[in-house]
Amino acid sequence: SQKIEQNSEALNIQEGKTATLTCNYTNYSPAYLQWYRQDPGRGPVFLLLIRENEKEKRKERLKVTFDTTLKQSLFHITASQPADSATYLCAPSRAGAGSYQLTFGKGTKLSVIP
Amino acid sequence: GAGVSQSPSNKVTEKGKDVELRCDPISGHTALYWYRQSLGQGLEFLIYFQGNSAPDKSGLPSDRFSAERTGGSVSTLTIQRTQQEDSAVYLCASSSPMAGELFFGEGSRLTVL
Protein backbone atom coordinates (compact mmCIF):
# COMPACT_ATOMS: atom_id res chain seq x y z
CA SER A 1 0.00 0.00 0.00
CA GLN A 2 1.05 3.61 -0.50
CA LYS A 3 2.96 4.96 2.46
CA ILE A 4 4.43 8.34 3.41
CA GLU A 5 6.96 8.86 6.17
CA GLN A 6 8.20 12.17 7.46
CA ASN A 7 11.52 11.86 9.22
CA SER A 8 10.45 12.72 12.69
CA GLU A 9 7.47 13.95 14.58
CA ALA A 10 9.45 16.84 16.06
CA LEU A 11 12.60 18.72 15.17
CA ASN A 12 14.26 21.40 17.31
CA ILE A 13 16.89 23.68 15.84
CA GLN A 14 18.69 26.85 16.81
CA GLU A 15 17.66 30.14 15.24
CA GLY A 16 19.78 30.96 12.20
CA LYS A 17 20.50 27.32 11.34
CA THR A 18 19.13 25.42 8.37
CA ALA A 19 16.24 23.08 9.10
CA THR A 20 16.01 19.98 6.92
CA LEU A 21 12.83 17.92 6.88
CA THR A 22 12.56 14.58 5.10
CA CYS A 23 9.65 12.96 3.33
CA ASN A 24 9.89 9.38 2.06
CA TYR A 25 7.19 7.58 0.12
CA THR A 26 6.82 3.98 -0.96
CA ASN A 27 4.84 1.91 -3.42
CA TYR A 28 3.90 4.63 -5.84
CA SER A 29 5.26 7.28 -8.18
CA PRO A 30 3.72 10.70 -7.61
CA ALA A 31 3.57 13.15 -10.50
CA TYR A 32 4.29 15.95 -8.07
CA LEU A 33 4.82 16.62 -4.40
CA GLN A 34 3.72 19.54 -2.27
CA TRP A 35 4.75 20.96 1.09
CA TYR A 36 2.36 22.71 3.45
CA ARG A 37 2.72 24.55 6.73
CA GLN A 38 0.15 24.13 9.48
CA ASP A 39 -0.07 26.28 12.59
CA PRO A 40 -2.03 25.10 15.67
CA GLY A 41 -5.77 25.40 15.17
CA ARG A 42 -5.41 26.48 11.56
CA GLY A 43 -5.77 24.85 8.18
CA PRO A 44 -2.64 23.92 6.19
CA VAL A 45 -1.14 26.60 3.97
CA PHE A 46 0.55 25.74 0.68
CA LEU A 47 4.27 26.47 0.43
CA LEU A 48 5.85 24.78 -2.58
CA LEU A 49 5.06 22.32 -5.36
CA ILE A 50 7.73 20.32 -7.18
CA ARG A 51 7.10 18.11 -10.21
CA GLU A 52 8.66 14.74 -10.93
CA ASN A 53 10.86 16.21 -13.67
CA GLU A 54 12.23 18.93 -11.38
CA LYS A 55 15.16 18.30 -9.09
CA GLU A 56 14.91 21.42 -7.00
CA LYS A 57 12.57 24.34 -6.35
CA ARG A 58 13.28 27.48 -4.33
CA LYS A 59 11.16 30.20 -2.80
CA GLU A 60 12.83 32.82 -0.63
CA ARG A 61 14.40 30.90 2.30
CA LEU A 62 12.74 27.64 1.30
CA LYS A 63 14.19 24.92 -0.89
CA VAL A 64 12.65 21.61 -1.88
CA THR A 65 14.32 18.70 -3.65
CA PHE A 66 12.62 15.70 -5.23
CA ASP A 67 14.54 12.48 -5.88
CA THR A 68 12.27 10.02 -7.67
CA THR A 69 14.95 7.32 -7.54
CA LEU A 70 15.26 7.51 -3.76
CA LYS A 71 11.52 8.25 -3.48
CA GLN A 72 12.36 11.14 -1.23
CA SER A 73 11.82 14.87 -0.90
CA LEU A 74 13.86 17.17 1.32
CA PHE A 75 12.53 20.49 2.58
CA HIS A 76 15.03 23.08 3.75
CA ILE A 77 14.49 26.33 5.62
CA THR A 78 17.64 28.43 5.67
CA ALA A 79 18.38 31.10 8.27
CA SER A 80 15.53 29.74 10.37
CA GLN A 81 13.52 32.06 12.58
CA PRO A 82 11.23 31.41 15.57
CA ALA A 83 8.32 32.39 13.28
CA ASP A 84 9.10 29.31 11.19
CA SER A 85 7.98 27.13 14.09
CA ALA A 86 5.03 25.09 12.84
CA THR A 87 4.13 21.64 11.58
CA TYR A 88 5.22 20.94 8.01
CA LEU A 89 3.30 18.46 5.91
CA CYS A 90 4.53 16.57 2.89
CA ALA A 91 1.92 15.65 0.28
CA PRO A 92 2.78 13.53 -2.76
CA SER A 93 0.08 13.26 -5.37
CA ARG A 94 -1.74 9.95 -5.46
CA ALA A 95 -1.10 7.89 -8.53
CA GLY A 96 -3.53 6.05 -10.68
CA ALA A 97 -6.94 6.60 -12.21
CA GLY A 98 -5.75 9.91 -13.67
CA SER A 99 -6.69 11.61 -10.45
CA TYR A 100 -4.03 13.82 -8.97
CA GLN A 101 -5.12 13.79 -5.41
CA LEU A 102 -2.83 14.37 -2.49
CA THR A 103 -1.97 12.02 0.34
CA PHE A 104 -0.58 13.82 3.37
CA GLY A 105 2.14 12.69 5.74
CA LYS A 106 1.63 13.10 9.47
CA GLY A 107 3.95 16.09 9.51
CA THR A 108 7.07 17.21 11.31
CA LYS A 109 6.69 19.75 14.09
CA LEU A 110 9.53 22.22 13.80
CA SER A 111 10.56 24.36 16.74
CA VAL A 112 13.11 27.11 16.14
CA ILE A 113 14.75 28.08 19.39
CA PRO A 114 15.88 31.70 19.81
CA GLY B 1 -14.88 35.94 0.52
CA ALA B 2 -11.34 35.48 -0.69
CA GLY B 3 -10.68 32.17 1.03
CA VAL B 4 -12.36 28.86 1.77
CA SER B 5 -15.03 29.32 4.38
CA GLN B 6 -16.18 26.56 6.72
CA SER B 7 -18.99 26.50 9.25
CA PRO B 8 -19.48 25.91 12.05
CA SER B 9 -15.99 26.42 13.37
CA ASN B 10 -16.88 24.37 16.43
CA LYS B 11 -19.62 21.83 16.96
CA VAL B 12 -20.35 19.84 20.10
CA THR B 13 -22.95 17.13 19.75
CA GLU B 14 -24.23 14.11 21.56
CA LYS B 15 -23.53 10.59 20.41
CA GLY B 16 -26.17 9.42 17.97
CA LYS B 17 -27.06 12.85 16.62
CA ASP B 18 -26.59 13.89 13.00
CA VAL B 19 -24.33 16.81 12.07
CA GLU B 20 -23.83 18.86 8.94
CA LEU B 21 -20.63 20.69 8.13
CA ARG B 22 -20.54 23.30 5.40
CA CYS B 23 -17.79 24.40 3.03
CA ASP B 24 -17.86 27.38 0.72
CA PRO B 25 -14.90 27.10 -1.67
CA ILE B 26 -13.02 29.83 -3.47
CA SER B 27 -15.04 31.11 -6.41
CA GLY B 28 -14.01 29.43 -9.64
CA HIS B 29 -12.36 26.45 -7.99
CA THR B 30 -13.77 23.31 -9.55
CA ALA B 31 -12.12 20.82 -7.22
CA LEU B 32 -13.24 20.43 -3.61
CA TYR B 33 -11.86 18.08 -0.98
CA TRP B 34 -12.83 17.03 2.52
CA TYR B 35 -10.19 15.78 4.92
CA ARG B 36 -10.34 14.72 8.54
CA GLN B 37 -7.60 15.39 11.08
CA SER B 38 -7.71 13.62 14.41
CA LEU B 39 -5.57 14.74 17.32
CA GLY B 40 -1.93 14.04 16.57
CA GLN B 41 -2.75 12.42 13.25
CA GLY B 42 -2.22 13.37 9.64
CA LEU B 43 -4.88 14.48 7.24
CA GLU B 44 -7.17 11.64 6.24
CA PHE B 45 -8.75 11.99 2.80
CA LEU B 46 -12.53 11.63 2.83
CA ILE B 47 -14.04 12.72 -0.48
CA TYR B 48 -13.17 14.64 -3.65
CA PHE B 49 -15.42 16.55 -6.05
CA GLN B 50 -14.20 17.68 -9.48
CA GLY B 51 -16.58 19.69 -11.59
CA ASN B 52 -19.57 17.65 -12.71
CA SER B 53 -17.77 14.31 -12.44
CA ALA B 54 -18.89 11.64 -10.02
CA PRO B 55 -17.20 12.27 -6.66
CA ASP B 56 -14.43 10.03 -5.37
CA LYS B 57 -15.88 8.72 -2.13
CA SER B 58 -13.14 6.20 -1.50
CA GLY B 59 -12.03 7.82 1.76
CA LEU B 60 -15.37 7.89 3.55
CA PRO B 61 -14.92 5.68 6.65
CA SER B 62 -18.47 4.34 6.83
CA ASP B 63 -21.92 4.72 5.32
CA ARG B 64 -22.76 7.17 8.10
CA PHE B 65 -20.70 9.72 6.18
CA SER B 66 -21.97 11.42 3.05
CA ALA B 67 -21.28 14.62 1.17
CA GLU B 68 -22.84 16.58 -1.58
CA ARG B 69 -21.87 19.57 -3.63
CA THR B 70 -24.64 21.70 -4.98
CA GLY B 71 -24.26 23.72 -8.17
CA GLY B 72 -20.56 23.00 -8.28
CA SER B 73 -19.97 25.31 -5.34
CA VAL B 74 -20.99 24.84 -1.71
CA SER B 75 -20.48 21.42 -0.17
CA THR B 76 -22.04 19.80 2.87
CA LEU B 77 -20.53 16.89 4.76
CA THR B 78 -23.11 14.98 6.76
CA ILE B 79 -22.34 12.53 9.55
CA GLN B 80 -25.30 10.49 10.73
CA ARG B 81 -25.59 8.85 14.13
CA THR B 82 -22.32 10.36 15.32
CA GLN B 83 -19.91 8.29 17.37
CA GLN B 84 -17.17 9.46 19.73
CA GLU B 85 -14.51 8.34 17.25
CA ASP B 86 -15.90 10.88 14.79
CA SER B 87 -14.46 13.65 16.96
CA ALA B 88 -11.87 15.45 14.83
CA VAL B 89 -11.24 18.57 12.80
CA TYR B 90 -12.88 18.38 9.40
CA LEU B 91 -11.00 20.37 6.80
CA CYS B 92 -12.27 21.46 3.43
CA ALA B 93 -10.01 22.53 0.58
CA SER B 94 -10.50 23.73 -2.97
CA SER B 95 -8.26 24.09 -5.97
CA SER B 96 -8.43 25.49 -9.45
CA PRO B 97 -8.01 23.35 -12.56
CA MET B 98 -4.88 25.27 -13.54
CA ALA B 99 -2.93 24.77 -10.34
CA GLY B 100 -2.22 21.85 -8.09
CA GLU B 101 -2.10 23.49 -4.69
CA LEU B 102 -4.97 23.23 -2.26
CA PHE B 103 -6.45 26.14 -0.37
CA PHE B 104 -7.75 25.03 2.99
CA GLY B 105 -10.38 26.45 5.23
CA GLU B 106 -9.77 26.77 8.96
CA GLY B 107 -11.72 23.62 9.67
CA SER B 108 -14.74 22.57 11.68
CA ARG B 109 -13.87 21.04 15.04
CA LEU B 110 -16.38 18.33 15.91
CA THR B 111 -16.66 16.97 19.44
CA VAL B 112 -18.99 14.04 20.05
CA LEU B 113 -19.83 13.53 23.72
Side-chain angles (χ1 to χ4, degrees), chain B:
Chain B
V4 176
S5 178
Q6 291 189 246
S7 61
S9 54
N10 278 287
K11 175 73 176 178
V12 180
T13 190
E14 294 180 348
K15 178 182 172 182
K17 299 286 189 182
D18 297 351
V19 297
E20 284 189 352
L21 308 176
R22 176 188 166 105
C23 173
D24 200 343
I26 293 173
S27 177
H29 281 190
T30 57
L32 186 147
Y33 303 75
W34 284 98
Y35 288 87
R36 178 170 72 175
Q37 189 172 35
S38 303
L39 189 63
Q41 299 298 310
L43 274 69
E44 176 188 3
F45 167 76
L46 297 178
I47 189 168
Y48 164 65
F49 295 91
Q50 173 59 277
N52 295 321
S53 302
D56 179 345
K57 305 179 181 180
S58 60
L60 294 179
S62 77
D63 58 9
R64 296 186 296 104
F65 288 73
S66 64
E68 63 177 21
R69 188 177 185 192
T70 54
S73 181
V74 172
S75 176
T76 302
L77 177 69
T78 301
I79 309 172
Q80 296 179 312
R81 304 181 302 282
T82 52
Q83 304 294 312
Q84 288 183 331
E85 61 263 28
D86 298 335
S87 296
V89 176
Y90 290 81
L91 289 159
C92 174
S94 69
S95 69
S96 76
M98 302 304 294
E101 65 265 31
L102 303 188
F103 293 83
F104 283 86
E106 299 292 24
S108 292
R109 180 176 298 277
L110 175 65
T111 303
V112 183
L113 302 176

Side-chain angles (χ1 to χ4, degrees), chain A residues 48-59 62-67 74 76:
Chain A
L48 281 167
L49 179 155
I50 186 165
R51 303 188 184 280
E52 60 181 338
N53 60 349
E54 297 175 315
K55 294 292 186 186
E56 182 179 297
K57 184 74 75 74
R58 292 176 183 263
K59 178 182 176 182
L62 309 180
K63 185 179 85 171
V64 172
T65 62
F66 193 10
D67 189 325
L74 299 179
H76 307 273

